[in-house]
Amino acid sequence: LYLWCNNSARYWPEIPVILAILIATVIMIIICLNVRKTTRASAQYASRRNSVHISTMVFEQACWFTGAFYITWVPYLAMQFMWSSGK
């Protein structure tokens, strides 16, 4: 536990957080693109308005999820980088 919480190390303790941010962002982009592709393919079987609405809802939900993630972790990372650089 001490090793993980040791802030005297130069940047490596933040690597898991940075990776989590990148992975969550990539996963949300993939989900949005797949939903968009699926709704376009199924548009011929449903009303056009409804399929676009579902795609928009998924995109908005992905933005809320990743936005909350960025609001939580980006300031923390900035603080950790400033603290470890001595500023």
Side-chain angles (χ1 to χ4, degrees):
L1 183 64
Y2 176 72
L3 179 65
W4 183 258
C5 296
N6 183 7
N7 287 325
S8 63
R10 296 285 293 176
Y11 304 125
W12 92 261
E14 287 78 24
I15 290 175
V17 176
I18 293 169
L19 288 175
I21 290 171
L22 292 175
I23 290 169
T25 302
V26 169
I27 288 172
M28 286 300 133
I29 290 170
I30 291 170
I31 288 172
C32 287
L33 291 176
N34 283 335
V35 167
R36 185 176 180 206
K37 183 176 86 170
T38 303
T39 54
R40 284 187 175 184
S42 64
Q44 60 187 340
Y45 304 111
S47 67
R48 187 81 168 142
R49 185 174 154 247
N50 189 27
S51 63
V52 171
H53 182 66
I54 291 171
S55 218
T56 304
M57 286 178 15
V58 169
F59 176 73
E60 288 174 358
Q61 189 66 33
C63 287
W64 279 108
F65 177 80
T66 53
F69 205 65
Y70 294 147
I71 288 169
T72 303
W73 287 106
V74 172
Y76 165 79
L77 287 173
M79 180 191 71
Q80 291 294 75
F81 285 141
M82 287 175 41
W83 190 13
S84 64
S85 69
K87 291 184 181 179

